Amino acid sequence: MKTKFYAALTALAAALCLFQACDDKKNPGEDPSIQVTPESIEASWEGNITEITVTANCPWTLSKTDGNGTAVDWVKCDRSSGKGDQKFNVKIEQNPTGEARSATVTVFSGDVKAFIDVQQEANPDPTPGPGPDPGPQYLELSFDFTVPGLGWPTSNDDSWATLKNCDSGCATDNDGTATSNSHRRAQVTYTLDGKDYDFTFADPNGAEKHNIRLDPENKGVYSGTLRYFGLPAIEGKKIVKIEMVQNASTKTSATFFRNVGVTAWVYHKDVAITDIQYVSGGEVQNQNTNGETYTYELSGTYPNRVYWINSPTNASIIKSLKLYYADADGSEVAPGPEPADPTPTPGPDDPGEDPTPVEPTLELEFSFTGTPFEGWPTAAKYTHVDGGVECTYPLNGTNYIFVPADCDGASAGQAFWMPPVEASEENPTAKPGYFALNAQYRYLGLPKIEGYALCRVICHNVYLSTTAPKIGVTTLINGSAAHPSNDAYVKGGELQTWDANGGGTYTYNLLETAANTRYYLYAYAKAGIDTIKLGYYQPKQ
């Protein structure tokens, strides 16, 4: 009876896998698309909050403008960018005027755009104004970073020891140690009209090397991905407007984004891009066109404070800046504490209302010690494909689909099946094969089975390097060279630190997983795996 049951189950799984293989081929090459619900908001003069649902198959960015294309500050969004299907809130602030007003929230990815029309009624009892507004009086400063003779560092190898310390007093070059300080900042001076202004070069917290400098060909300030360029803090004044000109190479691909925004903090290098909070009006803009002026109208800034230009997706070269500063009026509220290190940590002993692991009804064991099957990547570096490469693993007459993958946008793939090494005169000891998550930001997508949900993952590791592996189970592939955010880890699949010497067995009892869904082993620090045991169960309908 038991033999017949497993034979029937195997046949069912094979049929379902064929269905799945066909179904999974619908998405590759799909054109970017974005839809929003609702597409319009009608707010009373008192304002309101509306939840927006984004349905998309690509990364996207938000903008908020009036009919003239000028950024507005009375429409607030609780995120500035995202990827795929997500939700965000739009807050309409109270209208103090006796006139109705309108704006447009645009969700866009290159030329693909979706619009949310915002209409707000007039205030029936508007607050009387003080009379004609003479207009704000700004301190305007123009800085050209293509001029010779600035004397700033022009390579990543330049020691920062000769530069001024930042205001926090941190070491300028960490005494040669990449991780001895959480912040790595140094100030450089620009003399304008006989007065010195301090700009700040900064790597993200926890960075392993410097990657912000003056371009050696005098193109401007080179700011690597997730690096920060601090703007001068001026006593008694707050920055309210930035006009920026880009001088990086032009790329026209619809999938390329040189996003540049303005933030109040230097974030940790491992923070998810979608978790970076930008200043209101300083949300990221796609600066792909050289020579064009990109304008940021900032609100809610604080006086005497450094604000940071940040490039979260691709490096930029800032040719010039025109900065506008306004007088502080005493109403500004000091910002809160700097964001903490976002390194995910295992959850509490009690993972929720139902901490009891689900017992699998279908168990599969996959060994990577033998010769790789056809179609699997087997080299330390291979051509990267966003979303990973589907690879077939035949087991007991059924083909199961794994997906070796890298973070989207990686330069080369480094998740592969290392073939076994036969004994020879040069290497007398034979070595079995293993699956290598050969660097951080690498993934292995686990098989999804129709009607079944993944509930248990058991890995046995092998020696790969002296670095202790850190592996978790995620719901997605991250869209950049950054670790997934905490909420991307499956409940029960939080990061575990493995023995660097190999030989350990590590179990993840997953909770709240869904049927017909692919989940991913994720390498926060690289690892080698020789066997993987997977447990599945059938959720109740």
Side-chain angles (χ1 to χ4, degrees):
M1 180 65 70
K2 185 174 183 180
T3 301
K4 292 181 178 180
F5 171 77
Y6 278 105
L9 182 61
T10 300
L12 174 61
L16 293 174
C17 187
L18 288 173
F19 172 80
Q20 168 193 318
C22 293
D23 186 61
D24 283 353
K25 292 180 180 178
K26 293 179 181 178
N27 294 327
E30 187 177 15
D31 292 336
S33 67
I34 302 174
Q35 294 180 322
V36 292
T37 305
E39 295 181 342
S40 62
I41 298 173
E42 294 185 1
S44 70
W45 68 270
E46 296 174 303
N48 64 15
I49 297 176
T50 302
E51 183 179 75
I52 303 296
T53 299
V54 179
T55 304
N57 62 357
C58 55
W60 45 266
T61 303
L62 292 176
S63 68
K64 305 164 298 181
T65 57
D66 60 18
N68 297 319
T70 303
V72 298
D73 60 5
W74 54 273
V75 178
K76 307 290 187 184
C77 299
D78 61 3
R79 74 166 50 240
S80 59
S81 60
K83 179 183 179 183
D85 297 346
Q86 289 187 341
K87 295 182 178 181
F88 66 93
N89 291 319
V90 175
K91 179 181 179 182
I92 310 302
E93 295 190 338
Q94 185 181 104
N95 186 355
T97 73
E99 296 181 0
R101 55 186 180 178
S102 62
T104 301
V105 177
T106 305
V107 184
F108 62 92
S109 177
D111 294 331
V112 179
K113 300 179 181 180
F115 303 98
I116 304 162
D117 178 58
V118 179
Q119 300 290 335
Q120 186 178 28
E121 64 183 20
N123 190 326
D125 186 21
T127 303
D133 186 356
Q137 298 298 310
Y138 295 134
L139 169 64
E140 301 179 18
L141 303 173
S142 296
F143 299 94
D144 182 357
F145 303 112
T146 65
V147 297
L150 287 179
W152 296 1
T154 57
S155 80
N156 291 335
D157 297 327
D158 285 354
S159 171
W160 289 8
T162 59
L163 305 178
K164 292 190 295 184
N165 287 349
C166 61
D167 292 338
S168 65
C170 64
T172 55
D173 203 23
N174 292 336
D175 297 323
T177 303
T179 58
S180 61
N181 280 319
S182 61
H183 298 273
R184 300 187 338 127
R185 309 179 184 179
Q187 289 179 334
V188 291
T189 300
Y190 192 117
T191 302
L192 179 68
D193 297 330
K195 186 173 182 179
D196 289 344
Y197 295 93
D198 288 331
F199 289 84
T200 310
F201 288 170
D203 301 313
N205 304 339
E208 297 174 357
K209 64 179 181 180
H210 301 311
N211 200 20
I212 182 168
R213 61 188 185 274
L214 199 66
D215 182 85
E217 297 179 1
N218 291 329
K219 292 183 178 180
V221 175
Y222 177 89
S223 183
T225 305
L226 283 175
R227 264 53 187 183
Y228 296 82
F229 185 42
L231 306 177
I234 297 180
E235 184 69 26
K237 295 185 180 294
K238 57 185 180 181
I239 189 166
V240 294
K241 184 177 178 181
I242 299 172
E243 294 178 355
M244 187 185 317
V245 178
Q246 183 68 234
N247 205 16
S249 60
T250 300
K251 294 191 177 182
T252 59
S253 169
T255 60
F256 182 84
F257 297 93
R258 180 175 289 107
N259 288 332
V260 182
V262 183
T263 179
W265 299 112
V266 171
Y267 283 79
H268 196 276
K269 70 182 181 69
D270 296 331
V271 72
I273 291 175
T274 52
D275 289 340
I276 295 177
Q277 297 296 311
Y278 290 92
V279 178
S280 180
E283 294 85 1
V284 291
Q285 298 182 35
N286 189 13
Q287 296 192 9
N288 277 11
T289 304
N290 287 349
E292 182 174 334
T293 299
Y294 296 89
T295 301
Y296 299 81
E297 300 274 0
L298 309 179
S299 63
T301 51
Y302 189 71
N304 317 326
R305 180 179 176 83
V306 173
Y307 286 89
W308 306 88
I309 294 175
N310 162 254
S311 305
T313 54
N314 288 284
S316 67
I317 300 179
I318 304 169
K319 178 180 180 180
S320 64
L321 291 173
K322 187 172 183 180
L323 307 180
Y324 296 77
Y325 293 83
D327 291 336
D329 58 16
S331 65
E332 294 84 4
V333 178
E338 186 165 355
D341 181 343
T343 302
T345 55
D349 293 336
D350 179 5
E353 296 179 358
D354 182 13
T356 305
V358 179
E359 288 300 318
T361 58
L362 172 64
E363 295 182 280
L364 304 169
E365 181 172 342
F366 301 91
S367 172
F368 295 92
T369 58
T371 302
F373 296 115
E374 183 178 355
W376 285 75
T378 58
K381 289 192 175 182
Y382 56 91
T383 301
H384 165 81
V385 176
D386 278 359
V389 180
E390 291 189 356
C391 299
T392 301
Y393 192 120
L395 180 68
N396 300 329
T398 300
N399 289 333
Y400 296 95
I401 305 299
F402 287 81
V403 182
D406 319 284
C407 62
D408 288 351
S411 59
Q414 293 198 54
F416 61 94
W417 187 332
M418 180 70 182
V421 178
E422 296 182 359
S424 63
E425 292 184 3
E426 294 80 6
N427 298 294
T429 303
K431 295 182 181 180
Y434 59 89
F435 189 84
L437 295 163
N438 202 50
Q440 60 181 356
Y441 316 135
R442 267 62 194 182
Y443 299 78
L444 177 60
L446 305 175
K448 58 180 180 179
I449 300 177
E450 185 73 20
Y452 284 82
L454 183 66
C455 62
R456 184 170 295 166
V457 179
I458 303 175
C459 299
H460 187 270
N461 78 318
V462 298
Y463 174 81
L464 184 62
S465 75
T466 57
T467 301
K470 294 176 71 175
I471 305 297
V473 182
T474 68
T475 59
L476 51 78
I477 296 173
N478 211 41
S480 67
H483 296 302
S485 59
N486 286 352
D487 59 7
Y489 288 86
V490 181
K491 196 171 185 179
E494 295 86 359
L495 289 174
Q496 295 186 35
T497 300
W498 297 2
D499 188 340
N501 295 317
T505 300
Y506 303 90
T507 300
Y508 300 82
N509 289 309
L510 309 181
L511 299 171
E512 301 177 4
T513 53
N516 318 324
T517 302
R518 191 180 311 284
Y519 296 96
Y520 300 85
L521 281 176
Y522 173 69
Y524 190 97
K526 62 183 179 179
I529 305 170
D530 58 6
T531 58
I532 300 176
K533 297 180 181 179
L534 302 178
Y536 297 82
Y537 80 105
Q538 291 179 294
K540 295 179 181 180
Q541 298 297 323

